[in-house]
Amino acid sequence: MRDFLARLPKVELHLHIEGSLEPELMLALAERNGVTLPYASVEEVHGAYDFSDLQSFLDLYYQGMSVLQTARDFHDLAMAYFRRAHAEGVVHVEMHFDPQAHLVRGIDLAVVMEGLSLARREADRELGLSTALIMAFLRDRDAEEAMWVLEQAAPYWEMLDAVGLDSAEQGNPPEKFVEVFERARRLGIPRVAHAGEEGPAAYILGALDRLDVCRIDHGVRCLEDPSLVARLRDEQTVLTVCPLSNVRLRMVERLEDHPLPRLLDEGLNVTLNSDDPAYFGGGMVDNFLACHRAFGWDEAVFRRLAGNAIEAAFVDESRRDEWRRRLAEA
Ligand code: HPA
Ligand code: ZN
C-alpha cells in the first residue's frame, strides 16, 4: 500500500507553508538569524508538540515562524517542503501563507513574496512540481487589518491563486470578513476559507453564503447539519480534510473516530491533505497511509480522493490532463 500511495499522483490543496517548518530547519534558521528559541534540540522541539486544541498549536506555530526573517529563509523553507513533497509523489502544492504573522514582526510582504516566488520557480524548473499561492487572513485579528493587507498586496494580486481565512476559528465567524472577501471577489481572486474545523457547521454555511468561497478547508463539522450536508453534496463543494491534523488538535481522539468514512458515504467531495506536516506527524503519504490503517480503505478509495484533488486544483487544463493520465496509470 505504501508503494501504491507513493506512486499515486497527489495534489495537495491544504498546506500552510509556515507549518512545514521542520525542527531541524527551525533551529538552523534561529542560529543563522540570532533568534532565541525556548528549545535547545530537535528532541525538545518535538517534546513541545503536545497540543490540546487549535489555539495551543497556533501559539507554537507563531513562535516557530519567528526564525523566518529574510527572503532566503522563506525560499529555504518552501524549497525544503517542495523537495520532500516531490519525493513522496506530490505533483502539485497549493500553499497558504500568513502575511500578517510576518508583518506584525516587522517582516515586509515583499520579503515573503520574493522568497516564496523564487522557490516556486525553482520547484517548477528543477522538480516539475507546480504550486499555487493562497494568501490567508488571520481571522483572530480585525477585518480592517485584513483589508489593509489585501491592498498592500496589490503588486502581487496577479500571483495569488486565492485568498483564504485561517487561525483561531471559535468566535471569529466568516461574516467578520464579508467586505474583504467581497473586495477579493471584485478583483477576480478566488476565495477559500477554513470552516467547521473547530467552529460549528454554521461557519461553513457563512463561508459559502457570505464569503462566496469555492472550497471549504476542513469542513468536518458539516455533519452536524443534515441540510448543509445535502447542499455540499448537491454542489459538490470541495472539502480539504486533514486527518492527522484533526487527531493532533484533538478534534477526534483517534483517527478511527474520524468522520471521514461518513463524509464519503454522504457522497461529499473530499480530499486529503497534511495542513501543517512538521507539527502534525507527517506529509501526504503519512496521512493517506494512516487512513488506510484506520479505515481499511483500498486503492479505489485513494484513487477517488486523489482524483477529487486533481479536479479541484488551481491549474491549467493541460497539467490537469497530465495528472489524470498519471492517475489512470498508477
Ligand atoms: N487551522 C487554522 N489555522 C491554521 C491552521 C489550522 O489547522 N494551521 C495554520 N493555521
Ligand atoms: Zn489549515
Side-chain angles (χ1 to χ4, degrees), residues 17-18 20-37 39 42 45 63-81 84 102 105 279:
I17 197 64
E18 297 93 341
S20 75
L21 178 59
E22 293 289 342
E24 291 79 3
L25 184 58
M26 189 193 291
L27 294 173
L29 293 180
E31 171 102 23
R32 181 156 105 190
N33 293 324
V35 174
T36 308
L37 288 172
Y39 321 109
V42 168
V45 184
Q63 178 185 76
M65 69 176 81
S66 67
V67 302
L68 301 167
Q69 304 261 331
T70 65
R72 180 180 164 209
D73 299 338
F74 284 92
H75 162 273
D76 292 356
L77 167 75
M79 254 341 270
Y81 183 67
R84 285 196 299 277
H102 310 304
R105 307 184 285 113
Y279 290 86

Short mmCIF file of all heavy atoms in Angstrom, two decimals, residues 17-18 20-37 39 42 45 63-81 84 102 105 279:
data_model
loop_
_atom_site.label_atom_id
_atom_site.label_comp_id
_atom_site.label_asym_id
_atom_site.label_seq_id
_atom_site.Cartn_x
_atom_site.Cartn_y
_atom_site.Cartn_z
N ILE A 17 2.50 26.84 4.47
CA ILE A 17 3.93 26.68 4.25
C ILE A 17 4.71 26.92 5.55
O ILE A 17 5.72 26.25 5.81
CB ILE A 17 4.43 27.56 3.07
CG1 ILE A 17 5.80 27.09 2.59
CG2 ILE A 17 4.44 29.04 3.41
CD1 ILE A 17 5.85 25.70 2.00
N GLU A 18 4.21 27.82 6.41
CA GLU A 18 4.91 28.03 7.70
C GLU A 18 4.78 26.80 8.60
O GLU A 18 5.58 26.62 9.52
CB GLU A 18 4.34 29.25 8.43
CG GLU A 18 4.54 30.59 7.69
CD GLU A 18 3.36 30.97 6.81
OE1 GLU A 18 2.55 30.06 6.45
OE2 GLU A 18 3.22 32.16 6.46
N SER A 20 5.21 23.86 7.56
CA SER A 20 6.10 22.81 7.05
C SER A 20 7.51 22.98 7.63
O SER A 20 8.44 22.28 7.21
CB SER A 20 6.16 22.87 5.51
OG SER A 20 6.94 23.96 5.08
N LEU A 21 7.66 23.92 8.56
CA LEU A 21 8.98 24.21 9.15
C LEU A 21 9.39 23.11 10.12
O LEU A 21 8.91 23.03 11.25
CB LEU A 21 8.91 25.57 9.88
CG LEU A 21 10.16 26.05 10.62
CD1 LEU A 21 11.34 26.18 9.66
CD2 LEU A 21 9.88 27.39 11.31
N GLU A 22 10.28 22.25 9.65
CA GLU A 22 10.74 21.12 10.48
C GLU A 22 11.70 21.64 11.57
O GLU A 22 12.40 22.64 11.37
CB GLU A 22 11.47 20.09 9.61
CG GLU A 22 10.57 19.37 8.62
CD GLU A 22 9.59 18.38 9.26
OE1 GLU A 22 9.82 18.00 10.43
OE2 GLU A 22 8.61 18.01 8.59
N PRO A 23 11.74 20.97 12.72
CA PRO A 23 12.59 21.41 13.83
C PRO A 23 14.06 21.65 13.43
O PRO A 23 14.67 22.61 13.89
CB PRO A 23 12.48 20.26 14.83
CG PRO A 23 11.15 19.66 14.56
CD PRO A 23 10.92 19.81 13.09
N GLU A 24 14.59 20.78 12.55
CA GLU A 24 16.00 20.94 12.15
C GLU A 24 16.22 22.30 11.49
O GLU A 24 17.18 23.02 11.80
CB GLU A 24 16.42 19.83 11.16
CG GLU A 24 16.51 18.44 11.77
CD GLU A 24 15.17 17.75 11.94
OE1 GLU A 24 14.12 18.33 11.54
OE2 GLU A 24 15.14 16.64 12.50
N LEU A 25 15.33 22.64 10.56
CA LEU A 25 15.46 23.92 9.85
C LEU A 25 15.16 25.08 10.81
O LEU A 25 15.81 26.13 10.75
CB LEU A 25 14.54 23.97 8.62
CG LEU A 25 14.66 25.22 7.74
CD1 LEU A 25 16.09 25.41 7.22
CD2 LEU A 25 13.68 25.17 6.56
N MET A 26 14.19 24.89 11.70
CA MET A 26 13.87 25.94 12.67
C MET A 26 15.11 26.30 13.50
O MET A 26 15.45 27.48 13.66
CB MET A 26 12.75 25.46 13.61
CG MET A 26 12.18 26.55 14.51
SD MET A 26 11.15 25.88 15.83
CE MET A 26 9.74 25.27 14.94
N LEU A 27 15.81 25.28 13.97
CA LEU A 27 17.00 25.54 14.79
C LEU A 27 18.12 26.14 13.95
O LEU A 27 18.83 27.05 14.41
CB LEU A 27 17.46 24.24 15.47
CG LEU A 27 16.47 23.67 16.50
CD1 LEU A 27 16.93 22.30 16.99
CD2 LEU A 27 16.31 24.61 17.70
N ALA A 28 18.26 25.66 12.72
CA ALA A 28 19.32 26.20 11.85
C ALA A 28 19.06 27.68 11.53
O ALA A 28 19.98 28.50 11.54
CB ALA A 28 19.41 25.38 10.56
N LEU A 29 17.80 28.03 11.26
CA LEU A 29 17.49 29.43 10.94
C LEU A 29 17.60 30.30 12.18
O LEU A 29 18.00 31.47 12.09
CB LEU A 29 16.08 29.54 10.33
CG LEU A 29 15.89 28.90 8.95
CD1 LEU A 29 14.45 29.09 8.47
CD2 LEU A 29 16.87 29.46 7.93
N ALA A 30 17.28 29.75 13.35
CA ALA A 30 17.43 30.51 14.60
C ALA A 30 18.90 30.89 14.78
O ALA A 30 19.24 32.03 15.10
CB ALA A 30 16.94 29.68 15.79
N GLU A 31 19.76 29.93 14.50
CA GLU A 31 21.21 30.16 14.61
C GLU A 31 21.66 31.20 13.57
O GLU A 31 22.36 32.15 13.89
CB GLU A 31 21.90 28.80 14.37
CG GLU A 31 23.39 28.86 14.22
CD GLU A 31 24.09 28.42 15.50
OE1 GLU A 31 23.46 27.69 16.28
OE2 GLU A 31 25.25 28.82 15.69
N ARG A 32 21.21 30.99 12.33
CA ARG A 32 21.63 31.90 11.24
C ARG A 32 21.21 33.34 11.52
O ARG A 32 21.91 34.27 11.20
CB ARG A 32 20.99 31.38 9.94
CG ARG A 32 21.31 32.14 8.69
CD ARG A 32 21.15 31.23 7.47
NE ARG A 32 19.94 31.51 6.70
CZ ARG A 32 19.49 30.72 5.72
NH1 ARG A 32 20.12 29.59 5.43
NH2 ARG A 32 18.41 31.04 5.04
N ASN A 33 20.02 33.51 12.15
CA ASN A 33 19.47 34.85 12.33
C ASN A 33 19.61 35.38 13.76
O ASN A 33 19.11 36.46 14.06
CB ASN A 33 17.99 34.86 11.92
CG ASN A 33 17.82 34.62 10.43
OD1 ASN A 33 18.64 35.08 9.63
ND2 ASN A 33 16.77 33.90 10.04
N GLY A 34 20.25 34.61 14.62
CA GLY A 34 20.42 35.08 16.00
C GLY A 34 19.11 35.20 16.76
O GLY A 34 18.94 36.10 17.59
N VAL A 35 18.16 34.30 16.45
CA VAL A 35 16.87 34.31 17.16
C VAL A 35 16.94 33.31 18.31
O VAL A 35 17.44 32.19 18.14
CB VAL A 35 15.72 33.91 16.19
CG1 VAL A 35 14.40 33.77 16.94
CG2 VAL A 35 15.60 34.92 15.06
N THR A 36 16.45 33.71 19.47
CA THR A 36 16.46 32.81 20.62
C THR A 36 15.14 32.05 20.69
O THR A 36 14.07 32.66 20.70
CB THR A 36 16.65 33.60 21.93
OG1 THR A 36 17.80 34.43 21.78
CG2 THR A 36 16.85 32.65 23.11
N LEU A 37 15.24 30.72 20.74
CA LEU A 37 14.06 29.86 20.87
C LEU A 37 14.12 29.17 22.23
O LEU A 37 15.20 28.99 22.78
CB LEU A 37 14.06 28.79 19.77
CG LEU A 37 13.76 29.22 18.33
CD1 LEU A 37 14.01 28.05 17.38
CD2 LEU A 37 12.33 29.73 18.19
N TYR A 39 14.01 26.20 22.80
CA TYR A 39 14.41 24.81 22.60
C TYR A 39 15.90 24.75 22.29
O TYR A 39 16.40 25.58 21.54
CB TYR A 39 13.69 24.17 21.41
CG TYR A 39 12.25 24.55 21.25
CD1 TYR A 39 11.85 25.38 20.20
CD2 TYR A 39 11.27 24.07 22.12
CE1 TYR A 39 10.52 25.72 20.01
CE2 TYR A 39 9.94 24.41 21.95
CZ TYR A 39 9.57 25.25 20.89
OH TYR A 39 8.26 25.58 20.72
N VAL A 42 16.37 19.28 18.63
CA VAL A 42 15.23 18.78 17.87
C VAL A 42 14.27 18.01 18.79
O VAL A 42 13.05 18.15 18.69
CB VAL A 42 15.73 17.87 16.72
CG1 VAL A 42 14.59 17.09 16.08
CG2 VAL A 42 16.46 18.70 15.66
N VAL A 45 12.10 20.34 20.70
CA VAL A 45 11.01 20.90 19.87
C VAL A 45 9.89 19.87 19.77
O VAL A 45 8.72 20.19 20.04
CB VAL A 45 11.51 21.27 18.45
CG1 VAL A 45 10.39 21.93 17.66
CG2 VAL A 45 12.72 22.19 18.50
N GLN A 63 5.20 31.12 17.21
CA GLN A 63 6.53 31.22 17.81
C GLN A 63 7.59 30.63 16.87
O GLN A 63 8.64 31.23 16.66
CB GLN A 63 6.55 30.46 19.14
CG GLN A 63 7.89 30.47 19.82
CD GLN A 63 7.86 29.60 21.05
OE1 GLN A 63 7.89 28.37 20.98
NE2 GLN A 63 7.77 30.23 22.19
N GLY A 64 7.30 29.46 16.30
CA GLY A 64 8.26 28.79 15.42
C GLY A 64 8.64 29.64 14.23
O GLY A 64 9.81 29.71 13.84
N MET A 65 7.66 30.34 13.66
CA MET A 65 7.96 31.09 12.43
C MET A 65 8.74 32.37 12.70
O MET A 65 9.12 33.05 11.75
CB MET A 65 6.69 31.34 11.63
CG MET A 65 5.71 32.30 12.26
SD MET A 65 4.31 32.62 11.16
CE MET A 65 3.24 31.21 11.42
N SER A 66 9.03 32.67 13.98
CA SER A 66 9.82 33.87 14.29
C SER A 66 11.25 33.75 13.72
O SER A 66 11.95 34.75 13.60
CB SER A 66 9.88 34.09 15.80
OG SER A 66 10.63 33.05 16.40
N VAL A 67 11.67 32.55 13.37
CA VAL A 67 13.02 32.38 12.79
C VAL A 67 13.07 32.80 11.32
O VAL A 67 14.15 32.94 10.75
CB VAL A 67 13.53 30.92 12.91
CG1 VAL A 67 13.54 30.48 14.38
CG2 VAL A 67 12.70 29.95 12.06
N LEU A 68 11.90 32.99 10.69
CA LEU A 68 11.85 33.37 9.27
C LEU A 68 12.01 34.88 9.17
O LEU A 68 11.11 35.63 9.57
CB LEU A 68 10.52 32.94 8.65
CG LEU A 68 10.21 31.44 8.70
CD1 LEU A 68 8.74 31.18 8.36
CD2 LEU A 68 11.12 30.69 7.73
N GLN A 69 13.15 35.32 8.63
CA GLN A 69 13.44 36.76 8.63
C GLN A 69 13.71 37.32 7.24
O GLN A 69 13.34 38.44 6.96
CB GLN A 69 14.68 37.01 9.50
CG GLN A 69 14.56 36.48 10.92
CD GLN A 69 14.18 37.57 11.90
OE1 GLN A 69 14.50 38.73 11.70
NE2 GLN A 69 13.49 37.20 12.96
N THR A 70 14.36 36.56 6.39
CA THR A 70 14.79 37.09 5.09
C THR A 70 14.13 36.32 3.95
O THR A 70 13.58 35.22 4.16
CB THR A 70 16.32 36.94 4.93
OG1 THR A 70 16.64 35.53 4.88
CG2 THR A 70 17.08 37.58 6.09
N ALA A 71 14.22 36.89 2.76
CA ALA A 71 13.68 36.21 1.58
C ALA A 71 14.32 34.83 1.44
O ALA A 71 13.66 33.85 1.08
CB ALA A 71 13.91 37.06 0.33
N ARG A 72 15.62 34.76 1.75
CA ARG A 72 16.32 33.48 1.66
C ARG A 72 15.69 32.45 2.61
O ARG A 72 15.57 31.27 2.26
CB ARG A 72 17.80 33.70 2.00
CG ARG A 72 18.64 32.46 1.94
CD ARG A 72 20.08 32.80 2.31
NE ARG A 72 20.85 31.61 2.63
CZ ARG A 72 21.89 31.61 3.46
NH1 ARG A 72 22.28 32.72 4.06
NH2 ARG A 72 22.54 30.50 3.70
N ASP A 73 15.29 32.88 3.80
CA ASP A 73 14.66 31.96 4.75
C ASP A 73 13.35 31.40 4.19
O ASP A 73 13.08 30.20 4.30
CB ASP A 73 14.36 32.67 6.08
CG ASP A 73 15.60 33.21 6.77
OD1 ASP A 73 16.71 32.71 6.47
OD2 ASP A 73 15.46 34.13 7.60
N PHE A 74 12.54 32.29 3.60
CA PHE A 74 11.27 31.82 3.05
C PHE A 74 11.50 30.89 1.85
O PHE A 74 10.80 29.90 1.67
CB PHE A 74 10.38 33.02 2.65
CG PHE A 74 9.74 33.68 3.85
CD1 PHE A 74 10.35 34.75 4.49
CD2 PHE A 74 8.55 33.20 4.38
CE1 PHE A 74 9.79 35.34 5.62
CE2 PHE A 74 7.98 33.78 5.51
CZ PHE A 74 8.59 34.85 6.13
N HIS A 75 12.51 31.23 1.07
CA HIS A 75 12.89 30.34 -0.04
C HIS A 75 13.31 28.96 0.49
O HIS A 75 12.84 27.92 0.02
CB HIS A 75 14.02 30.96 -0.85
CG HIS A 75 14.75 29.98 -1.72
ND1 HIS A 75 15.83 29.23 -1.25
CD2 HIS A 75 14.53 29.56 -2.98
CE1 HIS A 75 16.24 28.41 -2.21
NE2 HIS A 75 15.47 28.59 -3.28
N ASP A 76 14.18 28.96 1.49
CA ASP A 76 14.70 27.69 2.01
C ASP A 76 13.58 26.85 2.64
O ASP A 76 13.54 25.62 2.48
CB ASP A 76 15.79 27.94 3.05
CG ASP A 76 17.05 28.55 2.43
OD1 ASP A 76 17.10 28.70 1.19
OD2 ASP A 76 17.98 28.91 3.19
N LEU A 77 12.68 27.53 3.34
CA LEU A 77 11.53 26.85 3.95
C LEU A 77 10.69 26.16 2.87
O LEU A 77 10.39 24.96 2.96
CB LEU A 77 10.65 27.88 4.68
CG LEU A 77 9.26 27.42 5.11
CD1 LEU A 77 9.36 26.50 6.33
CD2 LEU A 77 8.35 28.62 5.42
N ALA A 78 10.33 26.93 1.85
CA ALA A 78 9.44 26.38 0.82
C ALA A 78 10.14 25.30 0.01
O ALA A 78 9.55 24.24 -0.26
CB ALA A 78 8.95 27.51 -0.09
N MET A 79 11.40 25.53 -0.35
CA MET A 79 12.11 24.52 -1.16
C MET A 79 12.27 23.21 -0.39
O MET A 79 12.16 22.13 -0.97
CB MET A 79 13.50 25.04 -1.57
CG MET A 79 13.69 25.46 -3.01
SD MET A 79 12.53 24.91 -4.24
CE MET A 79 13.24 23.39 -4.80
N ALA A 80 12.52 23.31 0.91
CA ALA A 80 12.67 22.09 1.71
C ALA A 80 11.36 21.30 1.66
O ALA A 80 11.38 20.07 1.51
CB ALA A 80 13.04 22.44 3.15
N TYR A 81 10.23 21.98 1.77
CA TYR A 81 8.96 21.26 1.68
C TYR A 81 8.73 20.71 0.28
O TYR A 81 8.32 19.55 0.11
CB TYR A 81 7.76 22.11 2.12
CG TYR A 81 6.51 21.25 2.08
CD1 TYR A 81 6.37 20.18 2.97
CD2 TYR A 81 5.54 21.42 1.10
CE1 TYR A 81 5.29 19.32 2.90
CE2 TYR A 81 4.44 20.56 1.03
CZ TYR A 81 4.32 19.52 1.94
OH TYR A 81 3.26 18.66 1.86
N ARG A 84 10.61 17.51 -0.25
CA ARG A 84 10.03 16.37 0.47
C ARG A 84 8.73 15.91 -0.20
O ARG A 84 8.49 14.72 -0.37
CB ARG A 84 9.72 16.74 1.93
CG ARG A 84 10.92 16.82 2.83
CD ARG A 84 10.52 16.81 4.31
NE ARG A 84 9.69 17.93 4.69
CZ ARG A 84 10.14 19.14 5.00
NH1 ARG A 84 11.44 19.40 4.97
NH2 ARG A 84 9.30 20.11 5.34
N HIS A 102 3.80 37.70 9.71
CA HIS A 102 5.14 38.22 9.45
C HIS A 102 5.16 39.75 9.57
O HIS A 102 6.09 40.32 10.11
CB HIS A 102 5.62 37.75 8.08
CG HIS A 102 5.46 36.27 7.89
ND1 HIS A 102 6.04 35.37 8.76
CD2 HIS A 102 4.74 35.53 7.01
CE1 HIS A 102 5.70 34.13 8.40
NE2 HIS A 102 4.91 34.21 7.34
N ARG A 105 5.71 41.16 12.90
CA ARG A 105 7.09 41.03 13.40
C ARG A 105 8.03 41.95 12.63
O ARG A 105 9.25 41.84 12.75
CB ARG A 105 7.59 39.59 13.22
CG ARG A 105 6.74 38.50 13.78
CD ARG A 105 7.38 37.12 13.63
NE ARG A 105 7.34 36.58 12.27
CZ ARG A 105 8.40 36.38 11.51
NH1 ARG A 105 9.61 36.67 11.93
NH2 ARG A 105 8.27 35.87 10.29
N TYR A 279 4.23 19.77 12.17
CA TYR A 279 3.67 19.79 13.53
C TYR A 279 2.74 18.62 13.82
O TYR A 279 2.47 18.30 14.96
CB TYR A 279 2.89 21.10 13.75
CG TYR A 279 3.75 22.33 13.83
CD1 TYR A 279 4.14 23.02 12.67
CD2 TYR A 279 4.21 22.80 15.06
CE1 TYR A 279 4.94 24.16 12.74
CE2 TYR A 279 5.01 23.94 15.14
CZ TYR A 279 5.37 24.61 13.98
OH TYR A 279 6.17 25.73 14.06
#
